[in-house]
Amino acid sequence: ADALSWRGALWLATVGGAKSLGMGKTIGKLEVGFDFDALLVDADGRCGREQAPYEARELVGESEDGPVLQPMALLERFINLGDDRNIRSVFVQGRPVLSA
């Protein structure tokens, strides 16, 4: 069997999960008319590690805080390596239910 990609895992956690619950018309997407259920993630690239290694394709520049990564690279890193330490806020039906 093929390994699950980070994009596949993201789909399962959003659109696929909503569809499997029979709620695909109200949750699972960031679109007008859908409930706003979301995580605010600290996307500094650490994702549960002291400092994860970077690949050249991920970099878009440097800041005083270190490397600046492509947005999709940050998302991939969070899906593959992130954990609860990266989550700053949780929103359910548009309301904040957790803030770190």
Side-chain angles (χ1 to χ4, degrees), residues 12-81:
L12 286 172
T14 56
V15 177
K19 286 182 177 183
S20 72
L21 294 171
M23 300 177 72
K25 295 183 180 185
T26 58
I27 65 172
K29 296 180 182 181
L30 295 176
E31 291 184 4
V32 174
F34 283 70
D35 289 343
F36 181 69
D37 298 334
L39 303 175
L40 176 62
V41 175
D42 180 1
D44 72 358
R46 295 180 192 280
C47 288
R49 294 182 170 186
E50 193 55 38
Q51 185 67 39
Y54 299 103
E55 294 182 25
R57 68 178 174 79
E58 298 175 328
L59 298 173
V60 294
E62 288 280 332
S63 75
E64 60 187 41
D65 295 324
V68 177
L69 299 180
Q70 298 277 350
M72 293 304 280
L74 288 171
L75 181 58
E76 179 181 4
R77 187 174 295 253
F78 173 69
I79 297 294
N80 287 326
L81 303 172

Side-chain angles (χ1 to χ4, degrees), residues 78-93:
F78 173 69
I79 297 294
N80 287 326
L81 303 172
D83 59 30
D84 61 319
R85 294 174 288 182
N86 297 99
I87 298 171
R88 297 295 170 245
S89 299
V90 177
F91 294 85
V92 176
Q93 294 183 336

